[in-house]
């Protein structure tokens, strides 16, 4: 027998069971279960026959029944806001790949806003059907913290929650110091800063480290120009900076705002780096800007893998162990956009 028996009418709706698939594929229900779990112990030709029967019958495994029997959904919830943003997209990709390697399915929710209510709704939807959650960002506009579920293992990408949950993220302070020290070392008297939004924990961490590094060096701290991570906001900041002839160095809180700043400086006739040096943060598009952008490289792949490793470790511990702060190091990538002041 090379496939399901022809001529049998396909079952439909919720009445389709594992036994139906087993009869059609002429195997045992245990074999169907092993195929559904992706186990490698089933012969390829048998597994192909079972999958063909599943497709013909429209069968989907009952995850609730599986969880009741085995004590696990083998599913992880991933929650964030604006996951299409470049950095979040790279972390999400790494999280999904790492979970796939661990044989977990993923339920992904990109909340419509960053409000605490939308995060709560996401946790409520996932809470009864996942073994744990990876929460990528909690950049709520409210000062109050988001209430995270107490009975579900969770790791977060926000160090504001590290007192109660294991948190993983970039060493923002060290990366910022690398950028500012680089520019000061080139001979610039001070460094202007294009920051991200105040609701962002990453933006506030980079801004604080920029200011602290300048103060420790005994340098003046210029007013902050605030953006919203987009090239458009960087362009607006760049126009303001270009109008000030005393500006010789700019640290932008991400590469996209640096991209807008570069364009504004060019249109204003300020040469980079001969007149103004520009440094970004992320290293996702920096190599392909003109001039190629000096920037602080984040290791998004490592962040995603560390989030998953921390959650898998938590799932294996009963009760869960102590929470941790996992800092992923950065590195400065020097390119043509930075140089000594003229």
């Amino acid at each position: 027998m090379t496939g399901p028996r022809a001529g049998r009418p396909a079952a439909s709706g919720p009445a389709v069971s594992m036994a139906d698939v087993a009869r059609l594929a002429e195997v045992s229900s245990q074999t169907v279960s092993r195929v559904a779990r992706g186990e490698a112990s089933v012969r390829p030709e048998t597994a192909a026959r079972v999958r063909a029967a599943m497709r013909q019958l429209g069968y989907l495994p009952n995850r609730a029944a599986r969880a009741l029997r085995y004590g696990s959904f083998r599913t992880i919830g991933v929650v964030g806001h604006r996951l299409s943003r470049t950095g979040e997209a790279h972390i999400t990709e790494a999280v999904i790949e790492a979970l796939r390697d661990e044989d977990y399915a993923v339920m992904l929710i990109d909340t419509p806003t960053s409000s605490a209510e939308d995060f709560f709704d996401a946790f409520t939807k996932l809470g009864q059907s996942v073994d744990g959650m990876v929460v990528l960002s909690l950049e709520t506009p409210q000062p109050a913290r988001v209430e995270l579920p107490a009975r579900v293992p969770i790791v977060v990408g926000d160090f504001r929650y590290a007192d109660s949950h294991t948190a993983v993220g970039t060493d923002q302070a060290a990366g910022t110091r690398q950028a500012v020290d680089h520019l000061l070392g080139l001979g610039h008297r001070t460094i202007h800063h294009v920051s991200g939004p105040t609701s962002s924990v990453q933006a506030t961490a980079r801004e604080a480290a920029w200011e602290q590094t300048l103060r420790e060096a005994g340098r003046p701290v210029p007013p902050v120009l605030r953006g919203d991570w987009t090239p458009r906001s960087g362009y607006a900041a760049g126009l303001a900076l270009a109008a000030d002839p005393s500006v010789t160095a700019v640290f932008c809180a991400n590469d996209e705002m640096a991209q807008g700043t570069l364009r504004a400086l060019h249109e204003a006739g300020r040469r980079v780096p001969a007149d103004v040096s520009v440094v970004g943060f992320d290293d996702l598009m920096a190599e392909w800007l003109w001039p190629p952008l000096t920037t602080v490289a984040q290791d998004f792949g490592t962040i995603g893998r560390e989030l998953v490793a921390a959650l898998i470790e938590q799932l294996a511990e009963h009760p869960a162990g102590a929470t941790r702060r996992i800092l992923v190091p950065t590195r400065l990538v020097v390119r043509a956009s930075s140089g000594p002041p003229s």
Side-chain angles (χ1 to χ4, degrees), residues 1 3 10 146 205 213 262 271 330:
M1 177 72 68
V146 174
T213 305
L262 288 173
R271 298 167 299 165
T330 60

Side-chain angles (χ1 to χ4, degrees), residues 224-237:
V224 171
L225 287 86
R226 195 164 305 285
D228 60 6
W229 298 130
T230 64
R232 181 182 297 275
S233 67
Y235 178 77

Side-chain angles (χ1 to χ4, degrees), residues 63-100:
R63 304 195 70 83
R66 172 187 169 85
L68 183 64
R69 180 173 181 179
Y70 296 102
S72 171
F73 290 98
R74 300 299 299 180
T75 301
I76 299 298
V78 178
V79 181
H81 173 57
R82 292 182 64 190
L83 297 180
S84 61
R85 291 184 298 190
T86 311
E88 282 80 356
H90 281 263
I91 295 173
T92 302
E93 180 181 33
V95 166
I96 292 172
E97 288 179 357
L99 287 171
R100 185 186 303 124

Side-chain angles (χ1 to χ4, degrees), residues 87-274:
E88 282 80 356
H90 281 263
I91 295 173
T92 302
E93 180 181 33
V95 166
I96 292 172
E97 288 179 357
L99 287 171
R100 185 186 303 124
D101 291 342
E102 295 287 345
D103 194 29
Y104 278 90
V106 174
M107 293 182 67
L108 179 66
I109 294 183
D110 189 349
T111 61
T113 74
S114 61
S115 70
E117 291 78 10
D118 280 344
F119 278 113
F120 178 80
D121 288 345
F123 301 148
T124 301
K125 291 174 183 177
L126 293 173
Q128 300 301 315
S129 55
V130 298
D131 300 309
M133 296 186 200
V134 176
V135 183
L136 297 179
S137 60
L138 288 162
E139 296 180 354
T140 57
Q142 304 97 329
R145 285 161 52 112
V146 174
E147 185 175 347
L148 298 173
R151 300 180 182 274
V152 180
I154 292 177
V155 294
V156 297
D158 189 329
F159 287 121
R160 291 175 296 182
Y161 294 78
D163 58 336
S164 56
H165 295 80
T166 292
V168 181
T170 293
D171 192 340
Q172 309 288 346
T176 299
R177 284 194 295 270
Q178 289 172 327
V180 176
D181 285 343
H182 167 67
L183 290 168
L184 292 177
L186 290 171
H188 295 277
R189 177 173 174 268
T190 190
I191 292 89
H192 289 70
H193 182 43
V194 180
S195 180
T198 56
S199 61
S200 166
V201 64
Q202 291 88 354
T204 55
R206 293 170 199 174
E207 183 179 329
W210 160 78
E211 180 177 348
Q212 181 181 0
T213 305
L214 287 179
R215 292 194 185 282
E216 290 176 351
R219 305 302 177 88
V221 179
V224 171
L225 287 86
R226 195 164 305 285
D228 60 6
W229 298 130
T230 64
R232 181 182 297 275
S233 67
Y235 178 77
L239 291 177
L241 292 167
D244 183 351
S246 70
V247 174
T248 66
V250 182
F251 167 53
C252 296
N254 76 337
D255 290 349
E256 293 181 63
M257 291 192 299
Q259 179 183 16
T261 298
L262 288 173
R263 175 176 169 176
L265 291 169
H266 172 74
E267 291 180 358
R270 301 292 299 276
R271 298 167 299 165
V272 177

Side-chain angles (χ1 to χ4, degrees), residues 18 28-42 70:
M18 187 178 294
S28 67
S29 293
Q30 289 82 358
T31 298
V32 176
S33 178
R34 289 197 293 271
V35 172
R37 294 197 301 270
E39 294 185 9
S41 59
V42 182
Y70 296 102

